[in-house]
Amino acid sequence: MSSVSEAATEANAKPLPFLSQPLGITKRPTSEKPSWTERHAEWFDRDVRLEKRRLIIKDATRGYFHDFHEIRSHGGKTWRSPQTMIRADKARYFPDIQGTCLADKSKKHTADMLFGHVSIVAIVTSRVSEEHTRSFYEAALERFRSHPHFQLVQINLQENTLKAYLLSLFLSSLRAQVPTDLQSTYLLSQQNMDMVREPMGLHNKHVGYTYLVGPDGKIRWAGSAFAEADEARTLVACTGVLLDRMPGGRKAS
Protein backbone atom coordinates (compact mmCIF):
# COMPACT_ATOMS: atom_id res chain seq x y z
CA MET A 1 0.00 0.00 0.00
CA SER A 2 2.88 2.35 0.78
CA SER A 3 4.27 1.90 -2.72
CA VAL A 4 0.86 2.87 -4.14
CA SER A 5 0.78 5.99 -1.95
CA GLU A 6 4.31 6.92 -2.95
CA ALA A 7 3.45 6.51 -6.63
CA ALA A 8 0.35 8.68 -6.19
CA THR A 9 2.35 11.38 -4.40
CA GLU A 10 4.93 11.37 -7.16
CA ALA A 11 2.23 11.56 -9.85
CA ASN A 12 0.47 14.44 -8.09
CA ALA A 13 3.69 16.43 -8.20
CA LYS A 14 3.70 16.27 -12.00
CA PRO A 15 1.50 18.65 -14.01
CA LEU A 16 -1.25 17.04 -16.05
CA PRO A 17 -0.95 17.24 -19.84
CA PHE A 18 -3.66 18.82 -21.96
CA LEU A 19 -5.78 16.51 -24.07
CA SER A 20 -3.47 15.85 -27.00
CA GLN A 21 -5.79 14.34 -29.60
CA PRO A 22 -9.43 14.41 -30.70
CA LEU A 23 -11.67 11.92 -28.90
CA GLY A 24 -14.29 9.73 -30.52
CA ILE A 25 -14.66 7.39 -33.48
CA THR A 26 -14.02 8.06 -37.14
CA LYS A 27 -17.17 6.44 -38.56
CA ARG A 28 -20.52 8.19 -38.19
CA PRO A 29 -22.59 6.16 -35.70
CA THR A 30 -26.03 4.77 -36.41
CA SER A 31 -28.75 3.23 -34.27
CA GLU A 32 -29.50 0.64 -36.92
CA LYS A 33 -28.35 -2.90 -36.24
CA PRO A 34 -25.48 -4.02 -38.49
CA SER A 35 -26.50 -6.19 -41.40
CA TRP A 36 -25.43 -9.81 -41.71
CA THR A 37 -22.87 -8.75 -44.30
CA GLU A 38 -21.41 -6.13 -41.96
CA ARG A 39 -21.26 -8.57 -39.04
CA HIS A 40 -19.65 -11.19 -41.26
CA ALA A 41 -17.04 -8.70 -42.43
CA GLU A 42 -16.24 -7.77 -38.83
CA TRP A 43 -15.86 -11.40 -37.77
CA PHE A 44 -13.21 -11.94 -40.42
CA ASP A 45 -11.52 -8.55 -40.09
CA ARG A 46 -8.00 -9.28 -38.88
CA ASP A 47 -7.49 -5.83 -37.39
CA VAL A 48 -10.71 -6.09 -35.37
CA ARG A 49 -9.74 -9.53 -34.06
CA LEU A 50 -6.28 -8.31 -33.06
CA GLU A 51 -7.73 -5.27 -31.31
CA LYS A 52 -10.19 -7.40 -29.34
CA ARG A 53 -7.36 -9.75 -28.36
CA ARG A 54 -5.22 -6.81 -27.24
CA LEU A 55 -8.04 -5.46 -25.08
CA ILE A 56 -8.66 -8.87 -23.49
CA ILE A 57 -4.97 -9.21 -22.61
CA LYS A 58 -4.84 -5.66 -21.27
CA ASP A 59 -7.89 -6.23 -19.08
CA ALA A 60 -6.59 -9.58 -17.83
CA THR A 61 -3.25 -8.10 -16.77
CA ARG A 62 -4.81 -5.07 -15.10
CA GLY A 63 -5.23 -5.30 -11.34
CA TYR A 64 -8.77 -5.39 -9.93
CA PHE A 65 -8.17 -2.21 -7.91
CA HIS A 66 -6.20 -0.42 -10.62
CA ASP A 67 -8.81 2.27 -11.31
CA PHE A 68 -9.44 2.78 -7.61
CA HIS A 69 -5.75 3.35 -6.91
CA GLU A 70 -5.49 5.71 -9.88
CA ILE A 71 -7.99 8.06 -8.20
CA ARG A 72 -5.27 8.84 -5.65
CA SER A 73 -3.42 10.63 -8.43
CA HIS A 74 -5.02 13.96 -9.42
CA GLY A 75 -8.39 12.58 -8.33
CA GLY A 76 -8.39 10.22 -11.31
CA LYS A 77 -7.88 13.05 -13.79
CA THR A 78 -5.42 11.92 -16.47
CA TRP A 79 -5.64 14.89 -18.84
CA ARG A 80 -6.75 18.50 -18.79
CA SER A 81 -9.38 19.86 -21.12
CA PRO A 82 -8.25 21.75 -24.23
CA GLN A 83 -8.30 25.53 -23.94
CA THR A 84 -10.16 25.87 -27.23
CA MET A 85 -12.58 23.74 -29.24
CA ILE A 86 -11.30 20.87 -31.32
CA ARG A 87 -11.35 21.94 -34.95
CA ALA A 88 -14.36 20.74 -36.92
CA ASP A 89 -12.20 19.05 -39.55
CA LYS A 90 -10.27 17.17 -36.85
CA ALA A 91 -13.18 16.26 -34.56
CA ARG A 92 -14.49 12.70 -34.32
CA TYR A 93 -17.93 11.27 -33.68
CA PHE A 94 -19.47 10.41 -30.34
CA PRO A 95 -20.23 6.65 -30.54
CA ASP A 96 -23.74 5.27 -30.38
CA ILE A 97 -24.74 4.32 -26.85
CA GLN A 98 -28.09 2.64 -26.28
CA GLY A 99 -29.94 3.05 -23.02
CA THR A 100 -33.26 3.13 -21.24
CA CYS A 101 -34.78 6.58 -20.96
CA LEU A 102 -35.45 7.59 -17.37
CA ALA A 103 -38.62 9.48 -18.30
CA ASP A 104 -40.61 6.67 -19.91
CA LYS A 105 -38.37 3.55 -20.00
CA SER A 106 -38.19 3.69 -23.79
CA LYS A 107 -35.04 2.58 -25.60
CA LYS A 108 -33.00 5.44 -27.01
CA HIS A 109 -29.74 5.79 -28.92
CA THR A 110 -27.33 8.69 -28.72
CA ALA A 111 -26.90 8.35 -32.49
CA ASP A 112 -30.49 9.59 -32.79
CA MET A 113 -30.43 12.06 -29.89
CA LEU A 114 -27.31 14.10 -30.60
CA PHE A 115 -27.63 15.13 -34.23
CA GLY A 116 -29.20 18.54 -34.69
CA HIS A 117 -28.47 19.71 -31.13
CA VAL A 118 -25.59 21.19 -29.21
CA SER A 119 -25.18 18.65 -26.43
CA ILE A 120 -23.20 18.35 -23.25
CA VAL A 121 -22.92 14.62 -22.64
CA ALA A 122 -22.05 13.38 -19.15
CA ILE A 123 -21.00 9.76 -18.65
CA VAL A 124 -21.35 8.70 -15.01
CA THR A 125 -20.91 5.41 -13.19
CA SER A 126 -21.29 6.38 -9.53
CA ARG A 127 -22.30 9.18 -7.18
CA VAL A 128 -18.81 10.69 -7.18
CA SER A 129 -18.66 10.63 -10.99
CA GLU A 130 -21.96 12.53 -11.00
CA GLU A 131 -20.24 15.23 -8.97
CA HIS A 132 -17.35 15.17 -11.43
CA THR A 133 -19.56 15.91 -14.42
CA ARG A 134 -21.75 18.39 -12.55
CA SER A 135 -18.68 20.49 -11.78
CA PHE A 136 -18.23 20.86 -15.54
CA TYR A 137 -21.75 21.37 -16.84
CA GLU A 138 -23.44 23.23 -13.96
CA ALA A 139 -22.60 26.74 -15.16
CA ALA A 140 -23.34 25.90 -18.81
CA LEU A 141 -26.67 24.30 -17.90
CA GLU A 142 -27.68 27.33 -15.88
CA ARG A 143 -26.91 29.61 -18.80
CA PHE A 144 -28.26 27.58 -21.74
CA ARG A 145 -30.95 25.36 -20.19
CA SER A 146 -33.80 27.15 -21.95
CA HIS A 147 -32.06 27.40 -25.33
CA PRO A 148 -34.09 25.44 -27.93
CA HIS A 149 -30.98 23.88 -29.50
CA PHE A 150 -29.24 22.90 -26.25
CA GLN A 151 -29.53 19.66 -24.30
CA LEU A 152 -27.79 17.92 -21.42
CA VAL A 153 -27.53 14.19 -22.04
CA GLN A 154 -26.63 12.11 -19.00
CA ILE A 155 -25.61 8.48 -19.44
CA ASN A 156 -25.59 6.34 -16.32
CA LEU A 157 -23.28 3.60 -17.53
CA GLN A 158 -23.28 0.32 -15.59
CA GLU A 159 -21.32 -2.32 -17.48
CA ASN A 160 -21.57 -4.64 -14.49
CA THR A 161 -24.79 -6.63 -14.99
CA LEU A 162 -25.56 -6.90 -11.27
CA LYS A 163 -25.11 -3.17 -10.66
CA ALA A 164 -27.26 -2.40 -13.68
CA TYR A 165 -30.00 -4.69 -12.37
CA LEU A 166 -29.91 -3.16 -8.90
CA LEU A 167 -30.09 0.33 -10.37
CA SER A 168 -33.12 -0.65 -12.43
CA LEU A 169 -34.94 -1.54 -9.21
CA PHE A 170 -34.63 2.02 -7.95
CA LEU A 171 -35.80 3.97 -10.99
CA SER A 172 -38.46 5.81 -9.02
CA SER A 173 -35.83 6.96 -6.54
CA LEU A 174 -33.57 8.07 -9.38
CA ARG A 175 -36.42 10.02 -10.99
CA ALA A 176 -36.87 11.89 -7.73
CA GLN A 177 -33.23 13.00 -7.93
CA VAL A 178 -33.22 14.09 -11.59
CA PRO A 179 -35.19 17.23 -12.55
CA THR A 180 -38.21 16.43 -14.69
CA ASP A 181 -37.01 18.46 -17.68
CA LEU A 182 -33.75 16.46 -17.77
CA GLN A 183 -35.27 12.98 -17.53
CA SER A 184 -36.03 12.59 -21.24
CA THR A 185 -32.29 12.86 -21.99
CA TYR A 186 -31.13 10.70 -19.08
CA LEU A 187 -30.19 7.17 -20.15
CA LEU A 188 -29.39 4.06 -18.14
CA SER A 189 -27.04 1.89 -20.18
CA GLN A 190 -25.38 -1.51 -19.80
CA GLN A 191 -23.43 -1.19 -23.03
CA ASN A 192 -19.95 -2.67 -23.11
CA MET A 193 -17.52 0.13 -23.90
CA ASP A 194 -14.33 -1.89 -24.33
CA MET A 195 -13.91 -1.15 -28.03
CA VAL A 196 -14.36 2.60 -27.61
CA ARG A 197 -12.89 3.13 -24.13
CA GLU A 198 -9.51 4.32 -25.40
CA PRO A 199 -10.82 6.42 -28.32
CA MET A 200 -13.17 8.15 -25.86
CA GLY A 201 -10.47 8.76 -23.24
CA LEU A 202 -12.38 6.72 -20.65
CA HIS A 203 -9.31 5.85 -18.62
CA ASN A 204 -10.97 5.17 -15.27
CA LYS A 205 -14.30 3.49 -14.51
CA HIS A 206 -14.75 5.53 -11.34
CA VAL A 207 -14.33 8.90 -13.04
CA GLY A 208 -17.00 11.01 -14.70
CA TYR A 209 -16.39 12.27 -18.25
CA THR A 210 -17.99 15.27 -19.92
CA TYR A 211 -18.18 15.92 -23.66
CA LEU A 212 -19.36 18.84 -25.78
CA VAL A 213 -20.93 17.44 -28.94
CA GLY A 214 -21.86 19.57 -31.92
CA PRO A 215 -25.01 19.20 -34.05
CA ASP A 216 -23.03 16.99 -36.44
CA GLY A 217 -22.49 14.45 -33.66
CA LYS A 218 -18.78 15.24 -33.30
CA ILE A 219 -16.93 15.80 -30.03
CA ARG A 220 -15.64 19.36 -29.95
CA TRP A 221 -14.38 19.45 -26.35
CA ALA A 222 -14.07 17.14 -23.35
CA GLY A 223 -13.31 17.05 -19.64
CA SER A 224 -12.59 14.45 -16.98
CA ALA A 225 -12.97 14.12 -13.20
CA PHE A 226 -13.53 17.40 -11.30
CA ALA A 227 -13.43 20.56 -13.39
CA GLU A 228 -10.83 23.20 -12.82
CA ALA A 229 -12.26 26.73 -12.83
CA ASP A 230 -10.80 27.50 -16.27
CA GLU A 231 -12.21 24.26 -17.69
CA ALA A 232 -15.76 25.04 -16.56
CA ARG A 233 -15.51 28.54 -18.04
CA THR A 234 -14.17 27.18 -21.31
CA LEU A 235 -17.08 24.75 -21.60
CA VAL A 236 -19.54 27.64 -21.21
CA ALA A 237 -17.71 29.64 -23.88
CA CYS A 238 -17.44 26.75 -26.36
CA THR A 239 -21.09 25.80 -25.87
CA GLY A 240 -22.08 29.39 -26.57
CA VAL A 241 -20.02 29.47 -29.76
CA LEU A 242 -21.72 26.34 -31.13
CA LEU A 243 -25.18 27.63 -30.21
CA ASP A 244 -24.46 30.93 -31.96
CA ARG A 245 -23.82 28.95 -35.14
CA MET A 246 -27.17 27.17 -34.99
CA PRO A 247 -30.16 28.41 -37.05
CA GLY A 248 -31.37 31.62 -35.47
CA GLY A 249 -28.08 32.12 -33.66
CA ARG A 250 -25.98 35.24 -33.88
CA LYS A 251 -23.52 33.62 -36.30
CA ALA A 252 -25.94 31.39 -38.19
CA SER A 253 -25.16 33.09 -41.45
Side-chain angles (χ1 to χ4, degrees):
M1 184 64 70
S2 60
S3 61
V4 173
S5 299
E6 290 171 2
T9 301
E10 183 179 345
N12 278 325
K14 299 178 181 178
L16 281 173
F18 284 99
L19 182 65
S20 60
Q21 61 185 22
L23 299 179
I25 59 176
T26 56
K27 184 178 179 181
R28 176 174 172 143
T30 176
S31 59
E32 296 181 4
K33 292 184 178 181
S35 65
W36 184 90
T37 302
E38 291 171 328
R39 293 199 303 271
H40 184 271
E42 183 176 316
W43 291 337
F44 291 94
D45 188 311
R46 182 173 181 273
D47 291 337
V48 172
R49 295 204 313 272
L50 289 175
E51 177 63 9
K52 288 182 177 179
R53 183 185 303 171
R54 184 185 70 82
L55 292 173
I56 291 173
I57 294 173
K58 181 178 179 180
D59 188 60
T61 56
R62 188 170 177 158
Y64 182 79
F65 293 104
H66 176 273
D67 285 356
F68 178 77
H69 290 317
E70 287 295 303
I71 293 180
R72 295 169 178 264
S73 172
H74 294 286
K77 199 179 187 78
T78 51
W79 42 267
R80 297 179 67 201
S81 304
Q83 296 175 306
T84 58
M85 274 198 298
I86 297 168
R87 284 172 40 184
D89 60 333
K90 299 293 184 182
R92 297 178 178 180
Y93 291 104
F94 191 94
D96 179 50
I97 298 179
Q98 177 185 332
T100 301
C101 176
L102 183 61
D104 57 10
K105 296 185 179 181
S106 63
K107 297 297 182 183
K108 287 189 175 182
H109 291 259
T110 56
D112 300 325
M113 296 171 64
L114 299 181
F115 287 90
H117 294 84
V118 173
S119 309
I120 292 179
V121 183
I123 295 182
V124 303
T125 56
S126 62
R127 184 59 60 87
V128 68
S129 65
E130 290 177 0
E131 296 301 320
H132 288 161
T133 59
R134 186 177 292 110
S135 69
F136 273 97
Y137 70 67
E138 194 167 36
L141 179 63
E142 181 179 354
R143 181 167 179 178
F144 303 115
R145 191 171 194 152
S146 61
H147 196 291
H149 295 299
F150 172 80
Q151 64 178 355
L152 171 66
V153 177
Q154 299 177 81
I155 302 173
N156 194 321
L157 182 65
Q158 302 297 335
E159 296 177 80
N160 180 289
T161 304
L162 178 58
K163 285 185 66 178
Y165 172 71
L166 292 175
L167 184 63
S168 69
L169 298 178
F170 297 96
L171 283 183
S172 58
S173 175
L174 187 57
R175 287 195 192 96
Q177 300 172 33
V178 179
T180 304
D181 64 319
L182 300 180
Q183 291 182 13
S184 63
T185 54
Y186 190 109
L187 302 183
L188 291 87
S189 177
Q190 301 180 48
Q191 186 164 316
N192 185 295
M193 300 292 286
D194 284 348
M195 292 299 289
V196 297
R197 199 178 307 282
E198 290 184 8
M200 291 293 290
L202 299 169
H203 297 157
N204 193 309
K205 294 180 181 179
H206 302 298
V207 170
Y209 293 87
T210 308
Y211 304 87
L212 175 62
V213 182
D216 56 357
K218 292 185 176 182
I219 299 171
R220 303 300 301 277
W221 192 89
S224 67
F226 280 114
E228 298 175 359
D230 286 345
E231 291 178 316
R233 285 193 290 267
T234 300
L235 178 56
V236 172
C238 291
T239 303
V241 169
L242 290 181
L243 288 172
D244 283 344
R245 296 174 182 172
M246 295 294 288
R250 289 182 295 176
K251 299 179 182 178
S253 58

